[in-house]
Amino acid sequence: MFNNKRFKYGAVYVVGVIFIVLLLNTLIMNATSEQISYNTFVDMLKEKKIEKVIIQKDRIVITPKEADGQRKKTMYTGNMKDPSIAALLQESGAQYNTDMPETNPIMDFVLYWIAPVIIFIFLGRLVLGIMDRRAGGGVMSFGKNTAKLYAENKTGKTFEDVAGQEEAKESLVEIVDFLHNPGKYTEIGAKLPKGALLIGPPGTGKTLLAKAVAGEAKVPFFSLSGSDFVEMFVGMGAARVRDLFRQAEDKAPCIIFIDEIDAIGKSRDTNPSTNDEREQTLNQLLSEMDGFDSSKGVVILAATNRPEILDKALLRPGRFDRTVIVDRPDLKGRGAILKVHSRDVKMVDAVNLSEIAKSTAGAVGADLANIVNEAALRAVKNNRRMVEQEDLEDAVEMIMAGKEKKDRILSPKEKRIVAFHEAGHALISALLENTAPVHKITIVPRTMGALGYTMQLPAEEKYLVSREEMFDQITVLLGGRAAEEIEFNLVSTGAANDIEKATESARSMVSIYGMTDRFDMMALESVRNRYLDGSAVLNCSETTAAAIDDETLSIIKESHNKAKKLLLDNRELLKSIAEALIEKETLIGEEFMSMVESGRLRTKSPAYDAQIGENLS
Ligand code: ADP
Ligand code: MG
Ligand code: ZN
């Protein structure tokens, strides 16, 4: 089979040369020759100004006599096939002749027979090549190109670059060892897993891990995204899969990595609107995975964040028979990831990365990488050569709440409302037992819409949340609105986000966590895609759904009332915190806590106050 690419360049080259020759030809003709009219020619003949005439098939080329030392420029005119011209020519004394080039039979043959054939073959192939590509018939060469594009000999990543995913790494170390010396395993008769599926939320390092496996094993890495297989034309994706495996087998040992495999691996029967192309691609993938011989050292890794929609056939033993969970990192993991990413960033010795790790619960690797980078950018912006703790803290806030919006000026009235709102959240959190300590309160507006926020930091990472804790969290969320009501007797739009979060929590207390007496431990909702937004689907009757709403509402009402009561009982304290916020705009945790402590002493134990009074007097 001819090489399509080289041929295409050849064809372009030939056409180009022909074009240039033609162009030069006409240019030279025009520069040295001038067209004249037929009667001018006859006049010139009569005046005997012509030295030589060559009569060609369709034109007459005229060489005039040299006049006053002027450069001789040939002229031409159309051949009128005028029978009287011979007499005139004879009379004028010019040399004349018809154009009779020396004939060369071989040249003629080449020119008239071979050259057109060659040109037609070239043109034909060029056109065919284009049509092939359009119709999808040319996938062999076309698909190959894409796969080649993604084959990397060195990924440049190692397990060192992946932090906080120790369990995942452990499962993959075995695969690396297998790629290093497959003989060790085949000798004893062991069959190694053909593939491993990396499952986890976006940004946790699935792609990174796959690259690290290839880097550790020092083998080529074929990487394609699931969507690369889904082509416009039916059959393209399947051809591409075939092609990928052929190439991988040639290069074994190697790793094939299919990122976002859910794009092709979607369960075939859940979707009523069948997608033929995807189905064919999936079938091809399944049969390739069955067909190839894993002892050659080809390992397939795939990544997804929607494992629940994958076709069960993909997950059966002999295909992706290993699943590696790459979940959100815990406190220790976040610390380790921060460390990896600050390897090449100059930081002062005093930075405390574990403090940052603490304040980033729920963040994934990609977020943490981003935080370190934002901190470095901030240091540069402030003309510093090293990153300081403050930069990191600011970066965390920026990633979580958006940039500070310095130009948004709130009216004094609005500023007061925001201050009371935030003070309400913070104070409730301080007054309740099962809540995380307040780390910071601020009323500087942020680009992501918040006019202020209260940041709570858990003392330690929690994996279990009790009913009381959930209830208290909801109360804290509703405390913002409660403060507005108490102080201004007003409700504003500022609580929208709090309401949304509180309702979500209350609802899951009822329907997922079995925390109400009414529904006891009945599962009423199931979480669908737990690695993405964690959205849930109801699986109960409509009457039950209405009852769930009732229960949710009663939890919210109870929390709301509790929040209002707590704030009313501590109204003076609420006021003093809000005033402090209005003045300073930001309160850090310690400042806030000392205000709460002294306020409590004043309000809660009048006896104690009296005692001090006595002592003083
Ligand atoms: P995923 O494929 O899971 O969506 P990626 O592997 O593409 O996530 O991660 C994106 C980036 O985030 C990586 O390039 C890396 O810089 C950073 N990152 C994510 N997880 C980790 C981790 N566990 N350790 C170090 N860096 C990480
Ligand atoms: Mg990825
Ligand atoms: Zn709020």
Side-chain angles (χ1 to χ4, degrees):
M1 189 174 175
F2 71 49
N3 185 325
N4 206 5
K5 207 165 183 181
R6 197 184 295 164
F7 157 70
K8 234 180 277 162
Y9 284 134
V12 169
Y13 177 76
V14 168
V15 171
V17 165
I18 291 174
F19 182 74
I20 289 171
V21 167
L22 283 178
L23 197 74
L24 280 178
N25 214 351
T26 39
L27 277 180
I28 290 169
M29 279 280 283
N30 282 344
T32 57
S33 192
E34 182 190 348
Q35 188 178 7
I36 56 173
S37 65
Y38 195 78
N39 48 354
T40 317
F41 165 59
V42 175
D43 287 348
M44 283 171 80
L45 268 183
K46 284 185 181 153
E47 289 164 28
K48 298 196 169 59
K49 277 187 182 165
I50 292 178
E51 190 174 304
K52 195 167 138 199
V53 171
I54 298 168
I55 298 172
Q56 293 178 345
K57 211 167 152 199
D58 54 358
R59 64 166 72 181
I60 301 172
V61 178
I62 305 141
T63 311
K65 279 185 184 156
E66 208 162 342
D68 348 317
Q70 254 184 334
R71 200 174 61 86
K72 244 196 257 178
K73 191 173 179 182
T74 57
M75 300 166 178
Y76 63 94
T77 186
N79 187 354
M80 298 282 282
K81 308 258 161 72
D82 175 3
S84 66
I85 199 77
L88 266 173
L89 280 167
Q90 190 61 31
E91 201 175 298
S92 75
Q95 289 183 2
Y96 67 97
N97 202 350
T98 53
D99 193 15
M100 283 286 288
E102 279 172 36
T103 51
N104 178 338
I106 295 173
M107 245 345 247
D108 270 8
F109 182 70
V110 168
L111 216 72
Y112 291 110
W113 291 101
I114 308 278
V117 169
I118 290 175
I119 288 173
F120 269 105
I121 288 175
F122 267 116
L123 283 180
R125 288 204 163 178
L126 187 69
V127 170
L128 270 181
I130 292 168
M131 277 177 19
D132 250 12
R133 188 153 23 128
R134 288 245 174 99
V139 279
M140 278 306 284
S141 42
F142 194 56
K144 232 171 216 149
N145 290 343
T146 328
K148 227 172 231 153
L149 208 65
Y150 287 94
E152 286 176 70
N153 280 327
K154 284 209 179 69
T155 61
K157 300 278 184 224
T158 65
F159 282 149
E160 296 263 284
D161 295 303
V162 192
Q165 300 292 357
E166 299 312 317
E167 300 74 23
K169 276 200 256 182
E170 215 165 89
S171 335
L172 294 170
V173 161
E174 199 183 7
I175 290 179
V176 173
D177 190 48
F178 168 61
L179 288 167
H180 270 313
N181 35 20
K184 197 168 93 185
Y185 292 85
T186 48
E187 209 169 90
I188 203 169
K191 281 202 188 71
L192 250 112
K194 281 185 179 174
L197 183 62
L198 306 171
I199 299 176
T204 46
K206 298 180 295 297
T207 310
L208 186 65
L209 262 171
K211 284 189 175 168
V213 170
E216 289 282 334
K218 301 191 179 61
V219 296
F221 184 65
F222 289 86
S223 147
L224 274 124
S225 173
S227 55
D228 289 342
F229 291 106
V230 183
E231 288 285 339
M232 191 121 59
F233 299 103
V234 174
M236 282 283 266
R240 207 165 266 186
V241 170
R242 209 163 29 230
D243 217 46
L244 180 67
F245 277 81
R246 289 301 87 72
Q247 282 190 47
E249 273 169 12
D250 285 348
K251 281 213 173 182
C254 68
I255 288 177
I256 297 177
F257 177 50
I258 305 172
D259 211 348
E260 319 289 350
I261 196 174
D262 39 282
I264 40 170
K266 248 186 225 151
S267 178
R268 280 164 293 186
D269 45 37
T270 55
N271 195 352
S273 65
T274 54
N275 180 337
D276 264 355
E277 166 62 355
R278 194 163 42 69
E279 212 159 281
Q280 273 195 27
T281 310
L282 176 58
N283 285 334
Q284 185 69 37
L285 180 66
L286 294 176
S287 77
E288 289 290 345
M289 286 191 78
D290 283 344
F292 84 89
D293 177 9
S294 66
S295 65
K296 273 193 194 147
V298 179
V299 169
I300 306 164
L301 297 179
T304 181
N305 35 40
R306 308 181 65 191
E308 62 284 333
I309 66 161
L310 287 186
D311 200 291
K312 293 291 167 282
L314 265 176
L315 302 173
R316 78 141 170 78
R319 287 171 185 151
F320 289 110
D321 34 17
R322 284 224 169 157
T323 50
V324 178
I325 304 292
V326 191
D327 217 337
R328 292 176 190 280
D330 56 8
L331 179 61
K332 202 167 139 238
R334 290 197 301 273
I337 294 171
L338 283 169
K339 210 171 210 165
V340 163
H341 285 280
S342 40
R343 268 188 316 210
D344 303 326
V345 177
K346 292 202 182 83
M347 297 195 171
V348 295
D349 291 336
V351 294
N352 185 346
L353 291 179
S354 53
E355 217 24 65
I356 301 300
K358 235 188 220 174
S359 64
T360 45
V364 294
D367 297 327
L368 297 168
N370 198 5
I371 284 170
V372 172
N373 193 48
E374 284 296 339
L377 294 179
R378 186 178 183 270
V380 173
K381 202 166 110 196
N382 294 338
N383 288 320
R384 270 187 271 112
R385 290 165 172 260
M386 300 254 194
V387 170
E388 289 173 7
Q389 188 76 7
E390 195 194 330
D391 297 321
L392 287 162
E393 278 171 9
D394 200 70
V396 171
E397 274 181 56
M398 206 171 100
I399 303 291
M400 294 193 349
K403 263 191 154 72
E404 281 189 1
K405 208 167 161 77
K406 296 223 171 72
D407 56 341
R408 172 168 295 165
I409 312 280
L410 294 180
S411 72
K413 167 107 207 224
E414 278 178 336
K415 202 168 160 183
R416 267 187 87 75
I417 295 175
V418 175
F420 271 88
H421 179 107
E422 296 308 328
H425 284 310
L427 186 53
I428 299 255
S429 147
L431 294 174
L432 291 175
E433 226 160 84
N434 305 302
T435 54
V438 171
H439 180 72
K440 184 176 177 177
I441 322 168
T442 169
I443 55 166
V444 179
R446 297 264 159 178
T447 45
M448 267 150 78
L451 295 176
Y453 68 89
T454 302
M455 190 172 163
Q456 287 172 274
L457 276 194
E460 69 225 12
E461 193 119 295
K462 297 199 76 105
Y463 302 97
L464 281 176
V465 184
S466 69
R467 184 182 181 283
E468 286 65 36
E469 282 164 337
M470 281 198 89
F471 190 81
D472 284 0
Q473 279 167 9
I474 295 170
T475 313
V476 169
L477 282 168
L478 301 179
R481 162 67 68 80
E484 291 177 44
E485 286 170 306
I486 287 169
E487 184 60 28
F488 307 101
N489 191 21
L490 154 146
V491 291
S492 77
T493 55
N497 192 256
D498 299 334
I499 291 171
E500 193 182 325
K501 279 197 219 151
T503 309
E504 198 182 308
S505 288
R507 179 175 284 275
S508 37
M509 279 175 80
V510 181
S511 61
I512 298 178
Y513 300 124
M515 288 177 173
T516 54
D517 291 336
R518 178 154 176 191
F519 291 113
D520 203 11
M521 287 179 60
M522 183 177 180
L524 301 167
E525 258 182 45
S526 49
V527 177
R528 243 218 319 236
N529 43 8
R530 92 178 195 84
Y531 295 107
L532 287 175
D533 55 0
S535 67
V537 279
L538 273 179
N539 37 20
C540 58
S541 72
E542 268 176 41
T543 6
T544 315
I548 292 175
D549 291 340
D550 284 347
E551 284 293 306
T552 308
L553 183 59
S554 75
I555 291 177
I556 289 172
K557 278 197 165 149
E558 197 185 331
S559 307
H560 188 180
N561 287 334
K562 186 170 181 186
K564 276 206 276 201
K565 181 167 184 312
L566 276 171
L567 293 178
L568 266 177
D569 289 348
N570 295 278
R571 206 163 160 184
E572 286 310 309
L573 186 50
L574 175 67
K575 229 175 208 162
S576 59
I577 295 167
E579 299 296 348
L581 259 180
I582 292 167
E583 191 194 332
K584 296 189 189 167
E585 296 206 326
T586 300
L587 287 179
I588 57 166
E590 288 97 65
E591 285 176 288
F592 167 73
M593 277 322 286
S594 71
M595 288 183 78
V596 173
E597 288 307 324
S598 61
R600 252 191 191 155
L601 289 182
R602 251 184 288 124
T603 51
K604 282 260 168 81
S605 32
Y608 180 79
D609 271 356
Q611 207 181 347
I612 293 175
E614 263 173 28
N615 285 350
L616 281 177
S617 62

